[in-house]
Amino acid sequence: MITPPQFRYFLEVARAGSIRAAADRLHIAPSAVSRKIRQLERDLGARLLERRARGVILTEAGTVYARYALDAVHSLQRVQSELELLRGLQRGHIGIAAVEGVIADLLAPVVAQFRRKFSGITFSITVRGTDEVARAVRDGNTDIGLAFYAEPHENLQFVERSPDPICAVLAPDHPLALRTSLYLTEVMSEPLAIPVSSFGIRHMIDAECQNLSRQISPVLETNSIETMRGFARDGAGITFLTRISVWRDLSAGRLVAVPMSDASFRKATIDLIVMAGRDLPLAAGEFVDFLRGKMVRLAHQRSAIP
């Protein structure tokens, strides 16, 4: 997509908080970025950046201009997508930020199916925790987000909230595998693997511990869903995940998911989010509709697995 340099350079500096870091990402000299910013400030008659010892921050005028520049970039994307529609979506790019647990059994298959229909569309997918996914969508740094039980925000639109309660995930031969449900207090003494604090699942675990006035002492804390799955598959203990995160393992009988009876765990959702008020490029809009339909169908299938 053709983006005016003054928008591209300024927005990259704003995101990076550093002219040097922005230059590295843009693959140009820091002096070139500085010249563009100084010229922009002269043209606008306003100081946009405040230089600090360790980088730069936006001034009040800079914050206003950043909003304008981001809106302008999104408008250009919309124009480009309109032209792509005239060409039958033969070209286009979609940016997605997603939590790890939805990649293998939800997002990757849907991307493959979508590209069979629109082979000219390309994707970039970054794996992040729920907080980072929501931030990337709110800030306009990605088109689409897939998060776990994201916090509502005025700059977020929830296209779909697919119910996917947290379960205790464990090996089939674990003594608790035959239970039909479990409470958190019943598994606190077991070896536990939990995600790091930026994960939505961890938010719910911590909130429930606070409600119970109890502390949890995990033997493993990680930012890798695959590590948590492996921990449970190998019989090392119990982890907490949603069914979509262990879909293939459940279907193959390698893991068992026992529903958690704690009320907060039953509220969990997989959330499809976009920036509120933004007109997505047509390719991204088509993909959102496609993905939403798949999420609804998978939710029904997950509920049928014991």
Side-chain angles (χ1 to χ4, degrees), residues 14 52 54 67 77 97 99 117 167 201 266:
R52 297 286 181 89
R54 295 187 177 181
R67 286 199 298 267
Q77 290 175 339
V99 292
K117 186 176 181 181
C167 296
I201 290 177
R266 298 199 301 269

Side-chain angles (χ1 to χ4, degrees), residues 14 60 70 116-117 126 136 138 140 173 188 231 240 275 283:
E60 186 173 350
L70 192 58
R116 282 195 286 272
K117 186 176 181 181
T126 56
R138 292 197 310 265
D173 59 354
M188 280 185 164
F231 178 87
F240 302 102
M275 179 191 281

Side-chain angles (χ1 to χ4, degrees), residues 113 290-302:
Q113 292 166 19
F290 195 77
L291 177 56
R292 181 178 181 274
K294 183 67 171 179
M295 289 176 67
V296 171
R297 291 191 295 273
L298 273 180
H300 290 304
Q301 293 176 31
R302 287 196 302 273

Side-chain angles (χ1 to χ4, degrees), residues 171-224:
D173 59 354
H174 192 284
L176 297 176
L178 297 179
R179 292 285 298 273
T180 56
S181 64
L182 287 165
Y183 282 96
L184 183 59
T185 52
E186 295 180 273
V187 300
M188 280 185 164
S189 60
E190 298 285 334
L192 299 176
I194 64 173
V196 295
S197 59
S198 64
F199 281 50
I201 290 177
R202 178 62 180 273
H203 293 175
M204 301 189 85
I205 293 171
D206 289 345
E208 191 59 34
C209 286
Q210 187 173 5
N211 290 339
L212 295 169
S213 299
R214 298 278 297 273
Q215 287 188 334
I216 198 168
S217 299
V219 301
L220 173 64
E221 187 174 359
T222 178
N223 67 347
S224 167

Side-chain angles (χ1 to χ4, degrees), residues 23 25 37 67 93 111 133 151 203 208 245 263:
R25 294 180 187 179
I37 298 298
R67 286 199 298 267
H93 184 80
V111 167
V133 169
E151 289 285 337
H203 293 175
E208 191 59 34
S245 302

Side-chain angles (χ1 to χ4, degrees), residues 6-8 10-15 40 44 48-49 57-74 138-141 275:
Q6 69 268 28
F7 292 161
R8 187 167 69 252
F10 179 77
L11 287 174
E12 197 58 61
V13 171
R15 289 165 185 161
L40 183 59
L44 293 172
L48 303 178
L49 299 176
I57 62 171
L58 295 178
T59 63
E60 186 173 350
T63 300
V64 171
Y65 185 76
R67 286 199 298 267
Y68 163 76
L70 192 58
D71 287 344
V73 169
H74 289 163
R138 292 197 310 265
D139 294 347
N141 294 332
M275 179 191 281

Side-chain angles (χ1 to χ4, degrees), residues 79-299:
V79 169
Q80 184 185 38
S81 70
E82 295 283 358
L83 297 176
E84 289 162 2
L85 183 62
L86 295 176
R87 295 191 294 268
L89 287 180
Q90 295 176 12
R91 294 177 55 194
H93 184 80
I94 301 170
I96 304 173
V99 292
E100 183 187 355
V102 304
I103 299 291
D105 295 326
L106 173 59
L107 188 54
V110 173
V111 167
Q113 292 166 19
F114 191 80
R115 289 202 73 256
R116 282 195 286 272
K117 186 176 181 181
F118 303 110
S119 61
I121 305 300
T122 60
F123 290 81
S124 59
I125 298 174
T126 56
V127 179
R128 307 182 183 186
T130 283
D131 292 348
E132 295 163 334
V133 169
R135 187 178 304 113
V137 173
R138 292 197 310 265
D139 294 347
N141 294 332
T142 193
D143 298 314
I144 300 165
L146 272 173
F148 173 83
Y149 201 61
E151 289 285 337
H153 190 280
E154 62 182 359
N155 291 335
L156 286 182
Q157 176 187 345
F158 288 78
V159 178
E160 179 65 30
R161 305 202 82 172
S162 179
D164 199 11
I166 295 176
C167 296
V169 175
L170 54 164
D173 59 354
H174 192 284
L176 297 176
L178 297 179
R179 292 285 298 273
T180 56
S181 64
L182 287 165
Y183 282 96
L184 183 59
T185 52
E186 295 180 273
V187 300
M188 280 185 164
S189 60
E190 298 285 334
L192 299 176
I194 64 173
V196 295
S197 59
S198 64
F199 281 50
I201 290 177
R202 178 62 180 273
H203 293 175
M204 301 189 85
I205 293 171
D206 289 345
E208 191 59 34
C209 286
Q210 187 173 5
N211 290 339
L212 295 169
S213 299
R214 298 278 297 273
Q215 287 188 334
I216 198 168
S217 299
V219 301
L220 173 64
E221 187 174 359
T222 178
N223 67 347
S224 167
I225 297 295
E226 181 52 43
T227 298
M228 294 167 65
R229 284 193 293 251
F231 178 87
R233 277 196 307 264
D234 292 339
I238 297 173
T239 192
F240 302 102
L241 292 166
T242 64
R243 288 185 182 273
I244 191 61
S245 302
V246 289
W247 178 256
R248 294 183 187 180
D249 286 320
L250 294 178
S251 301
R254 293 187 293 263
L255 285 172
V256 172
V258 179
M260 297 296 294
S261 294
D262 306 87
S264 59
F265 290 166
R266 298 199 301 269
K267 299 176 183 177
T269 54
I270 303 298
D271 301 329
L272 174 57
I273 54 178
V274 297
M275 179 191 281
R278 177 187 175 188
D279 287 330
L280 286 173
L282 285 172
E286 287 284 335
F287 183 76
V288 165
D289 291 340
F290 195 77
L291 177 56
R292 181 178 181 274
K294 183 67 171 179
M295 289 176 67
V296 171
R297 291 191 295 273
L298 273 180

